[in-house]
Amino acid sequence: WHKVAKCASFDKEMKGLFKLAIPFTSYSILSNILDLMEVAVIGHLIGTEDLTAYYLVGFVISISTMWVDGIWSAVYTACGHAVGAEQYKLAGQYVQMVTILYQVWFLPFCVFWWFYFEDFVLWLGFDEEVKDIAATYAIVAFVHTIVSPYDSALHYLLEVTGREVYSSVIGVLGSAASFGAVLGCAMTWDITLLH
């Protein structure tokens, strides 16, 4: 028991872990709450067909990017090692390589879905209205996904260089801006998702 109690003691290492865990946990909780509120606004104020389209587009993007998402985790580890060895240029090169690789990998999927997305939605059994809403929203969502590696790269570099609080604040502000935009549009105009 002595060794277990020693591991659970609140020492310098435990303080360091809490220093990292608090901003990451806060960011995770707040961004997920804002994402849930965004979904609620879309479902209740805009419409269930739009919510269906929102999730369909998210699903298609997920299956298109899952092939390259693992490399982001590898780069996060490699950047941490490079920064720890004070090889900042190498860390930057890792991030540049993965950003370019992500986009090169994702662009063929964009072309594929440009031609087959509507057929896929109909194949899943959804009606024409959901297909039309999803096809319109997909354009914006795919552009966002093409640009998103730059945001991810910024967060990774901030996190491995000891600026995790700043990274978390930027992430929460981004989620809040997304929610605010959806809520503002839903309350101001009689809209569907860009349709």
Side-chain angles (χ1 to χ4, degrees):
W1 289 102
H2 176 68
K3 290 183 180 182
V4 172
K6 186 177 179 182
C7 288
S9 66
F10 198 77
D11 59 359
K12 182 180 175 182
E13 295 299 319
M14 187 67 79
K15 287 179 185 177
L17 286 174
F18 274 108
K19 184 181 174 193
L20 287 173
I22 289 171
F24 291 139
T25 303
S26 300
Y27 164 70
S28 181
I29 291 169
L30 291 172
S31 66
N32 282 305
I33 288 171
L34 288 166
D35 288 347
L36 179 64
M37 290 169 53
E38 189 172 305
V39 167
V41 166
I42 293 170
H44 288 289
L45 298 181
I46 300 176
T48 54
E49 290 85 8
D50 299 271
L51 184 59
T52 302
Y54 177 81
Y55 273 106
L56 273 170
V57 172
F59 172 74
V60 167
I61 289 173
S62 292
I63 62 173
S64 300
T65 60
M66 70 181 177
W67 307 100
V68 71
D69 284 343
I71 199 163
W72 279 111
S73 298
V75 163
Y76 189 73
T77 302
C79 281
H81 290 298
V83 168
E86 297 182 5
Q87 298 290 322
Y88 304 113
K89 183 177 178 180
L90 183 61
Q93 288 173 336
Y94 287 152
V95 170
Q96 288 174 349
M97 286 187 302
V98 76
T99 301
I100 292 168
L101 178 65
Y102 186 93
Q103 291 176 323
V104 167
W105 181 265
F106 187 60
L107 284 174
F109 282 98
C110 290
V111 172
F112 174 82
W113 289 118
W114 182 266
F115 293 106
Y116 298 106
F117 180 76
E118 292 179 4
D119 293 333
F120 180 69
V121 172
L122 293 174
W123 179 77
L124 289 174
F126 293 101
D127 61 20
E128 289 286 330
E129 184 179 3
V130 171
K131 176 200 70 146
D132 292 340
I133 296 168
T136 305
Y137 175 61
I139 296 167
V140 175
F142 273 79
V143 169
H144 174 268
T145 304
I146 290 170
V147 176
S148 69
Y150 298 103
D151 176 62
S152 298
L154 172 67
H155 285 287
Y156 284 162
L157 288 174
L158 288 171
E159 290 167 7
V160 299
T161 57
R163 291 168 179 84
E164 59 280 338
V165 173
Y166 185 63
S167 174
S168 295
V169 168
I170 290 172
V172 169
L173 290 176
S175 294
S178 177
F179 169 71
V182 169
L183 180 63
C185 289
M187 294 182 74
T188 304
W189 299 290
D190 181 24
I191 62 166
T192 63
L193 286 178
L194 304 173
H195 187 258

